[in-house]
Amino acid sequence: MRQWVLAVAILAAASAAALLLGAEAQQQGHQTERISGSAGDVLEDNPVGRLKVYVYDLPSKYNKKLLKKDPRCLSHMFAAEIFMHRFLLSSAVRTFNPEEADWFYTPVYTTCDLTPSGLPLPFKSPRMMRSAIELVATNWPYWNRSEGADHFFVTPHDFGACFHYQEEKAIGRGILPLLQRATLVQTFGQKNHVCLKDGSITIPPFAPPQKMQAHLIPADTPRSIFVYFRGLFYDTSNDPEGGYYARGARASVWENFKNNPLFDISTDHPATYYEDMQRSVFCLCPLGWAPWSPRLVEAVVFGCIPVIVADDIVLPFADAIPWEDIGVFVAEEDVPRLDTILTSIPTDVVLRKQRLLANPSMKQAMLFPQPAQAGDAFHQILNGLARKLPHGDGVFLKPGDERVLNWTAGPPGDLKPW
């Protein structure tokens, strides 16, 4: 009963605050809390003028031809690699003179060769990447002078450049050896994991901005749902014995809270999914096969406090977005205590998180809009690259130190021609 009282109090206070903030906005011209300190300044950085990027012109079989073959690639959660390519082609940071470039970008759509169910073919991705690097190294001098240390790649697979959707197999494969010196821009992020190399830039997965925009409801709508989640709790087809999928965290959510009236959780995905998130105080963002999912983006965009259940996760743009201030982190082993943890959060803390989430710069940083807009995820990626400049003395190899790339490093199955 105590949990009920606390939850209702939070909901009532949140609704009242939303109405009050709406009234204040008319008088003061604002209704959000600015992100304080360096994080807020970083989110508003303009990368133009701070770096120049050369885009390799690869044969269409590495990118556009794949997209033409399977347009699903434009709408799945891995689509950041496609939209980043499109953005850079018309970006003010692009240079057509490779001699003045700070960074080199190789547009390879490694997740756009899909199975009928929509999953990237894991054995084709590393072959495609290896082939593209060999082409770049053969036809331009820039890769060989640094072994790719001034090159970046967008690798939005479940486990990044390990190129597999199952963790055990991803770990066994490891990051493609040819990419060891390059900067990886990827959705996967987990501390002390073989699939996350030092210096990587962790980004949000793609979620369709226009689709979410079409489902916005009035900002003063009361948040009458305490905890919300829609998704799988078990994956019986890939984990028939249970316990491996989501390291058991999702199963624990279901077993402990399927009958709890504070929790609106189900495997159903209703037509009102986006609207329901906007009516919720907390949105669960548990790990699945990988630590990340589009739910994190959706929660931020819709102002629902993300409850992150993924031990050691590295979140998107962690040097710019104050995740501790806007989210709630729950250890996987503490999932059975979720109700106690969430109902114990003071109302003023909940309200501050909501005000921060209402900040437009926070939402913008999580999206890949078309066309691009100031402060969006494209610009946050460029900001991350700009912060790595200037390149250190160890980036470029000295004359006579050039080494022949080891094209045979990696699992034997990855060495087949693409």
Side-chain angles (χ1 to χ4, degrees):
M1 181 61 67
R2 179 174 177 271
Q3 292 177 346
W4 264 101
V5 172
L6 287 171
V8 170
I10 290 174
L11 290 170
S15 298
L19 292 172
L20 286 173
L21 286 169
E24 289 177 3
Q26 294 179 353
Q27 297 177 9
Q28 301 178 9
H30 63 84
Q31 64 181 85
T32 64
E33 182 168 329
R34 189 185 184 281
I35 307 159
S36 61
S38 61
D41 296 333
V42 168
L43 276 178
E44 296 170 8
D45 276 352
N46 183 354
V48 175
R50 299 169 59 209
L51 76 167
K52 293 182 179 181
V53 177
Y54 181 78
V55 180
Y56 285 117
D57 185 14
L58 300 185
S60 63
K61 70 174 186 176
Y62 293 101
N63 40 63
K64 296 177 183 178
K65 190 174 181 179
L66 292 167
L67 179 58
K68 185 176 181 180
K69 176 184 175 182
D70 197 337
R72 289 181 299 170
C73 300
L74 274 175
S75 57
H76 67 30
M77 60 184 176
F78 310 109
E81 62 183 356
I82 297 171
F83 291 110
M84 189 66 188
H85 182 201
R86 291 183 173 183
F87 163 73
L88 284 172
L89 289 177
S90 60
S91 172
V93 305
R94 184 186 183 188
T95 178
F96 292 90
N97 179 5
E99 293 295 333
E100 66 178 16
D102 300 297
W103 289 99
F104 293 81
Y105 168 64
T106 307
V108 187
Y109 298 173
T110 58
T111 63
C112 195
D113 200 349
L114 304 177
T115 65
S117 62
L119 291 173
L121 290 168
F123 53 88
K124 286 193 176 182
S125 299
R127 297 175 193 169
M128 188 191 312
M129 183 67 81
R130 184 187 300 273
S131 173
I133 294 174
E134 185 171 15
L135 179 69
V136 165
T138 301
N139 290 279
W140 287 273
Y142 307 104
W143 175 276
N144 294 322
R145 71 180 185 180
S146 68
E147 291 190 319
D150 55 351
H151 289 56
F152 72 94
F153 296 81
V154 181
T155 55
H157 271 258
D158 293 83
F159 289 91
C162 286
F163 297 125
H164 209 288
Y165 62 90
Q166 293 182 345
E167 183 173 19
E168 184 177 349
K169 293 181 178 179
I171 291 174
R173 170 176 278 161
I175 293 174
L176 184 69
L178 293 175
L179 294 172
Q180 289 296 338
R181 298 204 75 202
T183 290
L184 302 179
V185 177
Q186 58 183 47
T187 44
F188 171 74
Q190 183 174 318
K191 298 173 185 176
N192 304 314
H193 198 286
V194 299
C195 297
L196 180 69
K197 65 187 292 290
D198 290 344
S200 297
I201 297 174
T202 310
I203 65 173
F206 177 79
Q210 291 83 358
K211 183 178 179 181
M212 290 190 285
Q213 179 73 27
H215 287 265
L216 289 176
I217 61 178
D220 60 354
T221 301
R223 293 187 178 268
S224 55
I225 301 170
F226 191 60
V227 181
Y228 188 76
F229 176 78
R230 290 293 183 272
L232 290 176
F233 298 98
Y234 306 90
D235 187 346
T236 54
S237 59
N238 294 298
D239 183 27
E241 297 182 3
Y244 185 68
Y245 176 62
R247 297 197 282 259
R250 292 195 186 199
S252 181
V253 169
W254 179 250
E255 295 300 328
N256 284 282
F257 304 110
K258 59 187 174 182
N259 296 318
N260 189 316
L262 294 181
F263 284 67
D264 188 344
I265 58 176
S266 171
T267 57
D268 296 333
H269 202 287
T272 57
Y273 173 69
Y274 284 157
E275 288 83 356
D276 292 343
M277 293 189 85
Q278 294 170 79
R279 297 187 181 99
S280 304
V281 178
F282 297 103
C283 288
L284 299 184
C285 300
L287 74 162
W289 283 112
W292 61 271
S293 81
R295 287 182 191 82
L296 185 67
V297 177
E298 295 161 349
V300 171
V301 169
F302 292 132
C304 185
I305 298 171
V307 180
I308 299 158
V309 185
D311 293 353
D312 295 323
I313 189 172
V314 177
L315 290 162
F317 309 130
D319 57 347
I321 295 178
W323 289 106
E324 294 284 349
D325 292 336
I326 65 173
V328 176
F329 291 80
V330 177
E332 294 165 26
E333 66 178 8
D334 290 336
V335 166
R337 299 178 48 246
L338 260 175
D339 53 348
T340 302
I341 292 170
L342 296 180
T343 55
S344 299
I345 300 175
T347 301
D348 61 327
V349 173
V350 171
L351 294 176
R352 183 172 186 272
K353 291 179 185 294
Q354 290 176 331
R355 289 196 300 272
L356 286 169
L357 283 167
N359 192 304
S361 64
M362 192 79 68
K363 304 174 189 296
Q364 191 78 327
M366 298 293 285
L367 295 173
F368 295 91
Q370 304 296 309
Q373 301 171 14
D376 61 16
F378 300 116
H379 290 82
Q380 300 308 324
I381 292 172
L382 293 181
N383 282 334
L385 292 169
R387 287 194 288 273
K388 292 177 175 291
L389 298 175
H391 294 300
D393 294 336
V395 167
F396 301 106
L397 302 177
K398 297 178 182 179
D401 288 348
E402 287 84 0
R403 287 166 279 177
V404 177
L405 292 171
N406 184 358
W407 300 104
T408 60
D414 292 350
L415 303 180
K416 296 179 181 179
W418 179 76

